[in-house]
Structures are given as structure tokens and as C-alpha cells.
Amino acid sequence: MSRPSPFQLLRSAALITLGSALFALGFCWCFQPNHIAFGGIAGVGQIVNYLLPAVPVGVVVVALNVPLFLLGWRLLGRGLLASSLYAMALSSVLIDLLDAVYAFAPMEPMLSTLFGGALVGLSLGVVIGQGATTGGTDLLARLLKLRLAWLPMGKLLLGVDLVVIAAVAAAFGDLESALYGVVALYVSSLVMDGVLYGMDTAKVAYIISDRSDAIAAAITGELERGVTILPGRGGWTGGEKEVLLCAFRQRQIARLKALVKGLDPDAFLIVCPAHEVLGEGFRRYREHDI
């Protein structure tokens, strides 16, 4: 596997910095002042800070992350450890810094729940997409992904954080806090999965036509996309047919339809969403991919 270039490392660090800042903003702006139950190690930090106000949330986050990072180093390697340490330290420092320099006023609970969940989900999607985590239950979910590779990261994190939300609600003695926290967590998981998986806007087309050779040549030449020719047979007529299989980007769908129908108005065209496409012209596979 080739090593990333300095530009790629700088870009990844910038995105992790942005994600960490969004995480701190979402926590301090939306969750902390409204006493909304928050999952993750930050949620445990909320409990400790509530019971012992002299202990900052960020300090608790760092202390509880040590054993998880040691496990992550062993199972996921030094690369994830270094980037995750940076994201965790930066987000923790920014949480305490924001808390010290500015007191965010409480807002309408549902607004803070929805916007807080969206901000945190966006931040985690950006950070995890760069091969890092903010530590805590994010890292725990990343480790569980090794065993449960078929589950999206957002769903894994949703399950893990529900336990912490229940504990936070118990500490605050407020059932509404837990219910708002569950809504925020659900929004966060949706946004995170959208960032991690929904941005890969690839499509797959199945094309059945009597002019399959001409269409395959046009797709290869004009769209610069590969075409696989599959043997097929009509279920009604019993006639032999060729089925063209082609993966392409969302932005190419109008050109593909115009190209196919321009060559054969009677062509049968099926376009399906592709969860992700790995290979030349699309995304490359990475070790411990999400």
C-alpha cells in the first residue's frame, strides 16, 4: 500500500481539525447548556462534571480514553492511533476552551437536540472518514466494526451510546433528557452514515439492447466508463440477449440515458443506486475500511 503524500496528510489533518471543532461546538452550544443526555465518553464527562464541577469534561474524556487507545493501537495500528489522539486531544481542549471563554445560553430543547445531533454527526463523519476517531465510544464502535463489518458505523455507535445516555439521564434525574438524547443520537447516526456512505454517489446501470455493441463502445468512449457484457436470455421470448453492466457517477446519469436512448430508443435501461464502488475510477479499498 502506497504511503500518503504530504498534501494528503495535510488535507486529512485539516479535515480532522474541522471535524473536532464542529464536535466541540455541537457539544458546548447544544448539549451542555440544555442538559441534554449525550452519548460517548463526553457523556460520561457530563456526569462527572455535574457531580464534581471542578473537574472539566475534557480532562475526564482524556483520562477515560487511555485504555481504549491502547486497545486501538493493538488492533488497528499506529496510523489510527496517532490521528485519533490528535482528534481526541483537540476536541477535548476545544470543549474546555469554549466552556471557559463563552457561556452558551440554553435554547429550545428540540432545536438544540436536532442541530446538536446534526453537528455531532457531521463532525464524526468527517473525522471517521479520515481514518480517525474522537476516542471514547467512537473508537469502541470502530473496534466493533472489525467484528461486525456489515453494520454501518452510525448504527454501531447508536447502540453503544444508548447505554451512556441512560446513565447521563439517571445522573441528571431527568427522563426528558434521555428522550432528547435518543433523538439527538438518532439524528447524529443518520448524518454520520450520510457523510461516510452517502457521499459516494455512484450508480449501476443494466442495459438490454439489440445494439449492445454500439452502446458499449459509446459508453467507453464518451463517458470513459468500463462496461461488462453479461450473457442473458429473455424469459418470454427465449431469445439470447447481451446485458451491459456499467458503474458510473451520479452526475453522468443524464448523459448515459441520452446516449443509450439516442442509439436505441427501445433499449431497456435499469439504473440502481450503488452503496459504494471500489476500483479504478472510483474509491480505492483501504485496510480497516469502514
Side-chain angles (χ1 to χ4, degrees):
M1 183 180 295
S2 60
R3 298 183 62 181
S5 67
F7 173 77
Q8 290 173 321
L9 290 174
L10 184 62
R11 178 179 178 274
S12 180
L15 287 172
I16 292 174
T17 301
L18 174 63
S20 300
L22 289 173
F23 182 88
L25 177 62
F27 181 81
C28 293
W29 179 27
C30 299
F31 293 102
Q32 185 86 326
N34 294 282
H35 296 291
I36 292 175
F38 188 80
I41 297 298
V44 179
Q46 272 187 305
I47 298 175
V48 176
N49 179 256
Y50 180 73
L51 299 175
L52 302 170
V55 181
V57 174
V59 172
V60 179
V61 170
V62 173
L64 294 178
N65 267 294
V66 172
L68 283 174
F69 273 104
L70 292 175
L71 186 60
W73 185 11
R74 178 183 176 187
L75 297 178
L76 295 172
R78 290 179 296 176
L80 181 134
L81 178 68
S83 57
S84 295
L85 277 171
Y86 172 69
M88 179 205 67
L90 182 60
S91 59
S92 300
V93 168
L94 289 176
I95 284 174
D96 288 344
L97 185 62
L98 279 173
D99 194 43
V101 301
Y102 188 81
F104 286 94
M107 67 174 77
E108 201 281 320
M110 186 53 70
L111 277 179
S112 61
T113 297
L114 296 177
F115 280 98
L119 273 175
V120 170
L122 175 61
S123 68
L124 294 179
V126 170
V127 170
I128 294 173
Q130 297 306 307
T133 71
T134 57
T137 51
D138 310 344
L139 180 53
L140 183 57
R142 188 70 181 83
L143 293 170
L144 288 173
K145 182 76 174 174
L146 298 176
R147 292 282 186 177
L148 305 170
W150 52 276
L151 275 176
M153 278 294 298
K155 301 300 184 294
L156 282 170
L157 196 57
L158 179 66
V160 173
D161 280 347
L162 282 174
V163 177
V164 180
I165 285 180
V168 173
F172 291 148
D174 188 355
L175 179 59
E176 286 189 4
S177 173
L179 296 178
Y180 280 125
V182 171
V183 173
L185 185 58
Y186 180 69
V187 172
S188 176
S189 69
L190 290 179
V191 174
M192 184 200 307
D193 283 343
V195 173
L196 290 175
Y197 309 113
M199 301 303 287
D200 187 7
T201 54
K203 301 286 185 180
V204 173
Y206 297 91
I207 305 162
I208 304 171
S209 169
D210 292 329
R211 301 199 62 196
S212 57
D213 290 339
I215 293 174
I219 292 175
T220 303
E222 296 184 30
L223 295 185
E224 297 183 345
R225 289 296 176 192
V227 178
T228 300
I229 301 176
L230 308 174
R233 184 165 62 88
W236 178 259
T237 64
E240 299 296 329
K241 291 280 187 179
E242 288 184 338
V243 180
L244 305 182
L245 171 65
C246 175
F248 59 97
R249 297 288 186 184
Q250 170 69 37
R251 63 178 179 272
Q252 296 176 307
I253 188 170
R255 290 181 61 198
L256 177 71
K257 290 191 290 186
L259 184 152
V260 171
K261 291 301 182 179
L263 290 171
D264 183 4
D266 297 323
F268 200 72
L269 174 64
I270 305 171
V271 178
C272 307
H275 175 63
E276 57 182 338
V277 180
L278 305 178
E280 186 175 351
F282 295 91
R283 189 168 67 84
R284 292 187 178 276
Y285 173 75
R286 297 173 296 180
E287 188 180 7
H288 303 312
D289 208 349
I290 55 174

